[in-house]
Amino acid sequence: EAQVTQNPRYLITVTGKKLTVTCSQNMNHEYMSWYRQDPGLGLRQIYYSMNVEATDKGDVPEGYKVSRKEKRNFPLILESPSPNQTSLYFCASSSHTVPETQYFGPGTRLLVL
Amino acid sequence: QKEVEQDPGPLSVPEGAIVSLNCTYSNSAFQYFMWYRQYSRKGPELLMYTYSSGNKEDGRFTAQVDKSSKYISLFIRDSQPSDSATYLCAMSDRGSTLGRLYFGRGTQLTVWP
């Protein structure tokens, strides 16, 4: 089944404890992206990757790191999480073939205490 | 001021009504205009996209872009309870629907039977 998977789906952690949220897609997509969604603020892009080894900042990259060493994986790293990074995180992927539809993962709900 | 403004609603209409959802933007470099639909507890899905100005129709959905007014709309005809969701507009200043994306806050729509 074609899908974008995220792990973990739910995470409670404490301030300052490094964490990684994994994202993997099995559709051979070139493009991948991370978003966070917060009530009243909508969806905001964190980082995106047009292809392997090509990453760029989105709207809210501060406090996050990403890497794209292989096509299928695009992990999101929080080196020192803070409470303001409590949010719902979505990973998405797309091919560069028109209509370039992004497929979103199921989301990761993160709580930083 | 956000680059993309969208009234969060909520909007509540009876089944069969015509729904109008709107976004305004400030960046005249935006070229691609997208509408995403997000059901509760799910990731967004691309509904429609339009390049530059004009209209695009897909079944009961019509997307309009007025670049002179920096205003985009999504119309839903004969609305159904299954249309109940949050609708997000998004825009891109690249030559595609991918890359750096700017989202509105989303409008929550409820269609009651």
Side-chain angles (χ1 to χ4, degrees):
Chain A
E1 180 191 353
Q3 59 183 348
V4 178
T5 56
Q6 296 179 225
N7 281 294
R9 294 287 313 279
Y10 304 91
L11 180 61
I12 301 174
T13 189
V14 296
T15 298
K17 186 176 181 183
K18 181 179 178 180
L19 67 92
T20 299
V21 183
T22 65
C23 174
S24 182
Q25 50 92 5
N26 62 1
M27 295 170 279
N28 202 34
H29 285 168
E30 297 88 358
Y31 177 89
M32 297 186 75
S33 185
W34 275 104
Y35 302 88
R36 61 177 290 175
Q37 188 167 38
D38 304 285
L41 296 177
L43 199 66
R44 292 179 293 170
Q45 191 177 42
I46 303 171
Y47 272 96
Y48 65 95
S49 169
M50 298 299 285
N51 216 323
V52 176
E53 301 290 3
T55 61
D56 265 307
K57 295 177 182 177
D59 204 11
V60 287
E62 297 79 17
Y64 304 95
K65 284 176 61 176
V66 293
S67 68
R68 186 91 184 275
K69 293 185 170 59
E70 50 188 341
K71 207 173 195 180
R72 64 181 294 128
N73 296 321
F74 191 42
L76 180 69
I77 303 158
L78 285 71
E79 295 267 3
S80 182
S82 62
N84 65 13
Q85 292 179 297
T86 292
S87 187
L88 176 59
Y89 290 86
F90 287 104
C91 178
S93 74
S94 173
S95 75
H96 285 307
T97 304
V98 176
E100 293 179 315
T101 301
Q102 281 195 87
Y103 294 90
F104 282 76
T108 294
R109 195 167 289 278
L110 172 65
L111 173 61
V112 183
L113 300 173
Chain B
Q1 182 191 4
K2 275 176 69 74
E3 297 209 50
V4 180
E5 298 284 355
Q6 182 177 10
D7 186 340
L11 189 59
S12 182
V13 301
E15 183 175 355
I18 296 175
V19 176
S20 173
L21 304 167
N22 312 293
C23 289
T24 60
Y25 63 94
S26 56
N27 187 347
S28 57
F30 288 147
Q31 300 177 42
Y32 278 84
F33 303 89
M34 293 149 272
W35 286 96
Y36 283 83
R37 177 175 61 195
Q38 185 176 21
Y39 291 115
S40 181
R41 300 183 186 280
K42 298 287 187 184
E45 56 178 336
L46 181 65
L47 198 58
M48 298 179 69
Y49 74 92
T50 311
Y51 171 69
S52 194
S53 282
N55 294 358
K56 187 173 185 177
E57 190 173 319
D58 184 0
R60 297 184 294 110
F61 298 87
T62 299
Q64 284 186 354
V65 174
D66 182 348
K67 291 193 78 176
S68 62
S69 302
K70 296 190 178 68
Y71 188 87
I72 71 169
S73 301
L74 178 70
F75 297 96
I76 307 174
R77 290 184 300 281
D78 187 24
S79 56
Q80 302 295 309
S82 58
D83 296 326
S84 297
T86 297
Y87 290 80
L88 304 107
C89 63
M91 305 180 189
S92 166
D93 57 6
R94 294 177 64 110
S96 79
T97 59
L98 303 178
R100 177 79 166 86
L101 299 180
Y102 302 80
F103 283 82
R105 289 189 295 169
T107 301
Q108 186 180 342
L109 171 67
T110 300
V111 181
W112 42 275

